[in-house]
């Protein structure tokens, strides 16, 4: 049964996981850096937010990154 399920689903699962338009990132630090980069692109100015935060600090201090993280979990 397990071999059958693997054979039946493997191709479709791999197609989904490897889809370039699918973003599966759940790293709070990466989500935070993306948010900073988007802000800088939007405003044309360097962000005043610190870049050297760890995952716990990001989740405790940045509401946008925390919401994005929760949504992806």
């Amino acid at each position: 049964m397990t071999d059958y399920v693997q054979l039946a689903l493997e191709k479709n699962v791999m197609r989904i996981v490897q889809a370039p338009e699918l973003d599966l990132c759940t790293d709070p630090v990466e989500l935070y850096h993306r948010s900073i980069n988007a802000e800088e692109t939007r405003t044309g100015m360097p962000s005043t937010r610190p870049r050297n935060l760890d995952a716990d600090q990001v989740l405790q201090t940045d509401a946008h990154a925390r919401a994005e993280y929760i949504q992806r979990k």
Side-chain angles (χ1 to χ4, degrees):
M1 177 74 170
T2 303
D3 290 337
Y4 170 75
V5 172
Q6 181 178 355
L7 285 172
L9 298 177
E10 182 177 27
K11 184 178 178 181
N12 289 322
V13 169
M14 292 308 294
R15 182 177 51 83
I16 291 169
V17 170
Q18 294 174 346
E21 69 276 1
L22 182 61
D23 182 4
L24 299 174
C25 178
T26 58
D27 176 13
V29 176
E30 176 66 25
L31 296 172
Y32 177 68
H33 287 163
R34 289 180 185 184
S35 175
I36 290 173
N37 291 339
E39 173 191 330
E40 292 175 341
T41 299
R42 188 177 60 254
T43 64
M45 300 290 293
S47 177
T48 59
R49 297 189 282 172
R51 290 187 179 268
N52 59 343
L53 301 180
D54 64 29
D56 288 335
Q57 292 170 321
V58 167
L59 293 174
Q60 290 174 6
T61 62
D62 191 84
H64 177 76
R66 182 174 50 251
E68 185 78 18
Y69 174 76
I70 291 169
Q71 183 179 29
R72 290 171 181 257
K73 279 301 218 180

